[in-house]
Amino acid sequence: MSSVVSADGVTEAEPPRRYTATEIARHCTPDSCWVVHEGSVYDVTRFVRTHPGGESVLLRYAGTDVSSAMRGDPHRHSDNAYRWLSQYRIGHLESGSEPHGHCLDLQKENDAHKQDRPSQPEPKNISSGDAELTYKTVSTKNDLVDWTRPLLWQVGHLGGKYNEWVHQPVDRDIRLFHSDLFESWTKTSWYVVPTVWVPIIFFWSVVCYKELAKGETQLFASFFPELAVVVRETWFPLLFIIGLFLWTLIEYGLHRFLFHMTPPASSYALITLHFLLHGQHHKSPFDRSRLVFPPLPASLFVGLFYLPLRAMLPSTIRGTVMVGGLLGYVVYDLMHYYLHYGAPCRGSYLYHLKVYHVKHHFEHQNLGFGITSKLWDYPFKTVIPEESFDKSK
């Protein structure tokens, strides 16, 4: 909220701007999308593309009141969803003014008035401390950390407050380090993942296939020579698929038991480590520069996958399983990026996964650990329930 100086020199908060229903209704396009909720006006333009229900769902309510839609079918929005919405508040609905119409109905009117309308001033962020709000909001000005400084060295001091704080997402970029060089190492564009790993997967696959074709690779030869089985190149697809399958389990295990560990409140080091590994992603889930793993830390996890295989399998078989697992990792990282920033067709497999994953971020942080699939959520009983509210209410 901006401020003004009164006649006696005292700085006072400028009252939130008020908008009429007609003004709000004109903002019903992907380039300018406003909604009303419980009498407050929100500019959600930057959230249109990443909305979990898809761009079309949010645009359906653009320029209108979303209050009933957010608290009813098909999904009652979580507390975190309301906190998230609060970041986009730009003012209030004018008293006695009711939003009406539909975005599609108002489009022609919007185009007709576009040239005649006076230019609107840039909306100002409204302080989330306004007493009129009935839900706990996100405030980066009055937060437990100082957002003007790198967060990595601050979060460890939150102690018992860290777990709640880190699962209250905000729509802003996070800075981890003072050093620009170190900071750059923590950011990765999505295309870096296939650029680095796909050539390795291809080369390693060719090498392993040629080695298997020699007919010199035996399974069980080291432990049970009498049961030794010659593994030929025809086994390559099966071993590759086994690697893919093993990755799905590793993906689930890492996400659930490492990335979602609850660090002890007394451990500054473990809280800091958790925030570096995954906490930052939950705090800022739409920071596109941190949705995939940088190659260096990713190679450490690849090494952890490799070591147990090295102890159990001959080199060529191990290599074939590894390249299958590496492809699984690449698919996982790219799919994770797409689930945050992609716009899958409504009703498709990826659409359901996107909704599922966003529920994990905003409502069920202790469930829904599968990214590429829900496969392991079922046996480990961590499936996010289809309905999160009582329809009888």
Side-chain angles (χ1 to χ4, degrees):
M1 182 181 294
S2 57
S3 60
V4 294
V5 180
S6 62
D8 57 4
V10 177
T11 301
E12 299 175 345
E14 182 180 321
R17 180 171 176 177
R18 298 192 174 273
Y19 298 91
T20 66
T22 302
E23 287 179 288
I24 297 164
R26 289 172 180 161
H27 295 270
C28 62
T29 69
D31 297 324
S32 183
C33 181
W34 291 10
V35 296
V36 176
H37 179 266
E38 302 295 345
S40 291
V41 182
Y42 302 87
D43 181 355
V44 295
T45 306
R46 63 186 294 177
F47 190 54
V48 169
R49 181 164 180 78
T50 52
H51 183 263
E55 180 178 312
S56 61
V57 173
L58 190 52
L59 290 178
R60 186 186 311 160
Y61 294 98
T64 68
D65 195 314
V66 297
S67 302
S68 60
M70 290 188 69
R71 61 174 176 262
D73 281 336
H75 171 63
R76 178 179 293 171
H77 288 62
S78 66
D79 289 342
N80 270 337
Y82 290 106
R83 294 187 185 105
W84 186 269
L85 178 66
S86 71
Q87 298 171 104
Y88 306 128
R89 193 172 67 150
I90 58 174
H92 290 301
L93 179 65
E94 189 71 51
S95 300
S97 185
E98 277 303 318
H100 58 278
H102 189 281
C103 181
L104 296 178
D105 301 329
L106 295 161
Q107 188 63 56
K108 291 183 179 179
E109 179 187 345
N110 183 40
D111 293 339
H113 287 81
K114 192 172 291 183
Q115 298 299 326
D116 300 330
R117 284 199 312 267
S119 58
Q120 296 291 333
E122 193 71 23
K124 300 173 181 177
N125 290 330
I126 305 300
S127 170
S128 58
D130 196 306
E132 293 182 34
L133 294 179
T134 58
Y135 47 85
K136 184 178 180 182
T137 62
V138 173
S139 173
T140 54
K141 292 182 179 178
N142 303 299
D143 204 355
L144 298 175
V145 296
D146 181 356
W147 284 85
T148 65
R149 297 167 49 232
L151 298 189
L152 187 61
W153 315 118
Q154 300 182 59
V155 294
H157 297 296
L158 297 181
K161 298 178 181 179
Y162 170 75
N163 196 52
E164 179 184 4
W165 175 85
V166 82
H167 289 121
Q168 294 177 357
V170 296
D171 186 10
R172 62 175 296 155
D173 294 340
I174 285 175
R175 186 174 182 92
L176 295 176
F177 294 98
H178 289 282
S179 166
D180 290 338
L181 178 62
F182 286 177
E183 186 72 8
S184 68
W185 290 347
T186 68
K187 297 183 176 184
T188 310
S189 298
W190 68 267
Y191 55 81
V192 171
V193 174
T195 300
V196 170
W197 294 108
V198 169
I200 294 174
I201 293 170
F202 180 77
F203 175 78
W204 205 348
S205 295
V206 172
V207 170
C208 290
Y209 186 87
K210 289 182 176 180
E211 285 296 316
L212 291 175
K214 294 178 180 178
E216 299 173 357
T217 303
Q218 292 185 327
L219 189 61
F220 306 129
S222 300
F223 303 103
F224 308 103
E226 66 280 3
L227 299 177
V229 177
V230 176
V231 178
R232 303 283 305 195
E233 69 276 12
T234 53
W235 284 57
F236 183 89
L238 175 62
L239 294 173
F240 193 92
I241 291 172
I242 288 173
L244 278 170
F245 179 76
L246 285 176
W247 166 256
T248 63
L249 180 59
I250 292 170
E251 170 196 314
Y252 177 90
L254 285 174
H255 193 189
R256 179 179 179 181
F257 298 109
L258 179 61
F259 297 163
H260 276 270
M261 67 174 180
T262 302
S266 59
S267 176
Y268 175 93
L270 286 180
I271 291 175
T272 303
L273 177 63
H274 178 268
F275 189 71
L276 182 63
L277 285 176
H278 197 61
Q280 55 169 309
H281 174 54
H282 269 262
K283 190 63 182 176
S284 181
F286 294 104
D287 183 347
R288 65 174 67 236
S289 66
R290 291 197 174 100
L291 288 177
V292 297
F293 266 92
L296 182 59
S299 64
L300 298 178
F301 289 112
V302 170
L304 292 176
F305 183 34
Y306 179 81
L307 289 176
L309 293 180
R310 187 175 186 275
M312 296 184 293
L313 298 172
S315 61
T316 306
I317 297 175
R318 176 174 70 241
T320 308
V321 173
M322 274 295 300
V323 293
L326 271 178
L327 180 62
Y329 157 69
V330 171
V331 172
Y332 151 79
D333 240 358
L334 296 183
M335 185 174 289
H336 183 227
Y337 186 93
Y338 185 76
L339 295 184
H340 280 265
Y341 271 95
C345 295
R346 191 170 181 83
S348 66
Y349 175 72
L350 289 176
Y351 173 82
H352 289 296
L353 275 185
K354 180 181 176 74
V355 173
Y356 189 75
H357 187 59
V358 174
K359 283 184 180 180
H360 165 74
H361 273 280
F362 282 82
E363 188 172 5
H364 298 281
Q365 293 90 354
N366 294 319
L367 297 173
F369 299 108
I371 305 295
T372 53
S373 78
K374 305 176 186 178
L375 175 64
W376 296 105
D377 280 320
Y378 287 103
F380 289 108
K381 302 185 185 305
T382 54
V383 178
I384 295 176
E386 288 295 326
E387 297 295 342
S388 59
F389 64 96
D390 183 357
K391 286 187 175 182
S392 64
K393 292 183 179 178

